[in-house]
Amino acid sequence: MNITIINTSNKLYSKNDFPNHDVTLFNTTELKIKSCNGCFDCWVKTPGKCVIKDDMEELLIAIINSDLTVYISDIKVGYVSSGLKMIHDRTLPLILPYMDIVKDEVHHTKRYEKYPKLGLVLIENEKISDEVFDIIENSYVRLSYNMRTELLFVIKDDNMLGGLNNEISNY
Amino acid sequence: MKLVIINGSPRGKKSNSKVIADWIISGLVNKIEVEEYYAIQIKKHQEAISSIEDGDTILLVFPLYIDSVPGVTKLFIEELDLIKDKVKDIKIYYIVQSGFAGAMHSRAVERYLIYVAKHMGFKYLGTAIKPSAEGLRLMPAILTKNVSDNFKKLSKDILESRNFNQEVLIDLAGFEVPPLKYRKHIEKGKGGKTYFNSLLRKHKAYPKRFDQPYVKK
Ligand SMILES: Cc1cc2nc3c(=O)[nH]c(=O)nc-3n(C[C@H](O)[C@H](O)[C@H](O)COP(=O)(O)O)c2cc1C
């Protein structure tokens, strides 16, 4: 099983933090990832590829070749960070421009046969109220429909990622 | 008192968000001072935020990106947090427009927008949702008249600092979830095909449209 962990929080992790699992790990504060500019070139000019040349390509490769992708984010103003949101925006090349019906709604057609399951770890740097947790969870359920996959878990970080290691083991 | 418009689109001035902002502005008929800023101009966020003074109204207009605010819009919201409790009597409106049909897509982010207003201590006066909006910037005025008239009606609410008119919001939103007939149309492979295929052909990329460049063989 391939697991990709994309840590966008200010805290840096190493593979040693996941002793029992073989993971591909990114600390994105050490990478250069620009904002999507909405050009749609990944759909109509260079199908499947983003035209912005930065570290995002490496992430896209790791995401699409994983069975489970886990995102780690700080909480900023009651939501995941802009750093993580910019990464999600840049995943558009992974799907096709064409439309499909998913759960009775319009969504995009798959570009790849298989998409990784999703997990989200929220670093409780500011208090996560039930309302905030619910808003984020709901938003990621939506994101999972859009990215043609399923949300496996959203957890608040407990010490040393004990929670995440558990989730991965359970998976 | 003035209106500060924050355009959250990564496309900046060439966006559907800009087209909508212009409709709003024309409906204001110069009765209020307007300042416009663009979230994609990250270096200007500070200027935008410090322009917000007691009694002002904010309008945040943005495209739905992966079911939420675009990353740069989120960055703006994070920086806006700096003036929390430092300004008084601020009112806020939102406009979310999306590519897909069905207002349902924007309901999750609407909840977050209401949270932001509450968190900031701003008076929340409504969120307008406009689905199927990708074509707005490309369409001739005659085809967008109904939509532009609706936005101009919302301008009146902004001038009066009252809640967005509920009937106008319902008309703009259209259906929440696509009706069966629409779903059948999409299931027949008709959604967005003509438009995207013509662009693919124009860029000589049509034969490569299904490429899977990132999969390890
Ligand atoms: C990266 C990216 C993600 C998008 N995600 C969504 C989405 O989740 N749902 C949707 O309905 N439209 C989505 N869209 C479509 C835009 O919301 C739509 O094209 C909008 O009209 C763009 O407005 P703008 O020109 O103001 O940026 C997305 C577009 C891009 C480029």
Side-chain angles (χ1 to χ4, degrees), chain A residues 36 38-40 89-90 92 146, chain B residues 7 9-11 14-18 62-68 97-100 105 133-134 137:
Chain A
C36 170
C39 69
F40 282 151
D89 295 348
R90 294 281 305 278
L92 203 71
N146 215 345
Chain B
N7 181 324
S9 170
R11 289 178 181 156
K14 292 192 178 138
S15 59
N16 294 306
S17 303
K18 172 66 177 158
F62 66 89
L64 191 67
Y65 260 42
I66 318 282
D67 294 278
S68 186
Q97 44 91 17
S98 74
F100 291 136
H105 287 276
E134 171 60 3
R137 69 202 164 111

Side-chain angles (χ1 to χ4, degrees), chain B residues 17-217:
Chain B
S17 303
K18 172 66 177 158
V19 171
I20 292 173
D22 284 348
W23 288 333
I24 292 282
I25 291 171
S26 79
L28 296 170
V29 290
N30 293 319
K31 284 194 178 149
I32 183 174
E33 183 193 336
V34 178
E35 284 185 22
E36 267 182 289
Y37 293 94
Y38 296 85
I40 194 69
Q41 297 177 353
I42 292 171
K43 288 197 182 112
K44 285 204 168 175
H45 284 190
Q46 279 317 315
E47 188 187 322
I49 287 161
S50 46
S51 82
I52 299 167
E53 297 170 303
D54 293 354
D56 282 354
T57 301
I58 301 172
L59 169 66
L60 174 61
V61 45
F62 66 89
L64 191 67
Y65 260 42
I66 318 282
D67 294 278
S68 186
V69 282
V72 283
T73 305
K74 180 64 197 344
L75 181 63
F76 184 86
I77 291 171
E78 290 166 10
E79 294 180 16
L80 193 64
D81 200 31
L82 295 173
I83 57 165
K84 178 170 154 54
D85 303 326
K86 300 212 170 79
V87 280
K88 286 196 308 256
D89 189 24
I90 305 293
K91 287 142 286 192
I92 191 161
Y93 295 93
Y94 302 100
I95 298 173
V96 189
Q97 44 91 17
S98 74
F100 291 136
M104 181 70 189
H105 287 276
S106 300
R107 295 293 173 201
V109 76
E110 180 185 31
R111 281 184 65 199
Y112 177 59
L113 299 172
I114 295 170
Y115 169 87
V116 171
K118 193 173 66 176
H119 166 87
M120 292 297 301
F122 297 166
K123 186 168 185 196
Y124 171 72
L125 291 175
T127 300
I129 293 174
K130 170 65 190 114
S132 298
E134 171 60 3
L136 292 180
R137 69 202 164 111
L138 309 168
M139 281 150 78
I142 182 156
L143 291 181
T144 56
K145 185 159 185 322
N146 186 29
V147 183
S148 62
D149 284 352
N150 269 330
F151 280 111
K152 286 173 198 169
K153 283 184 201 156
L154 296 184
S155 307
K156 304 285 171 279
D157 297 328
I158 295 175
L159 284 174
E160 302 288 331
S161 296
R162 63 183 178 218
N163 283 309
F164 272 157
N165 180 298
Q166 204 57 31
E167 276 165 37
V168 175
L169 295 189
I170 289 169
D171 200 38
L172 278 172
F175 52 73
E176 288 291 310
V177 179
L180 187 64
K181 199 169 147 212
Y182 188 92
R183 299 204 302 269
K184 285 245 153 64
H185 171 81
I186 298 287
E187 274 164 348
K188 281 191 199 126
K190 301 240 168 83
K193 240 185 186 156
T194 320
Y195 177 63
F196 286 112
N197 282 350
S198 76
L199 290 175
L200 278 157
R201 288 202 180 90
K202 180 173 146 200
H203 296 114
K204 302 200 169 33
Y206 185 75
K208 295 167 67 160
R209 64 197 181 284
F210 297 122
D211 273 14
Q212 302 180 334
Y214 298 139
V215 87
K216 286 184 189 145
K217 291 278 149 56

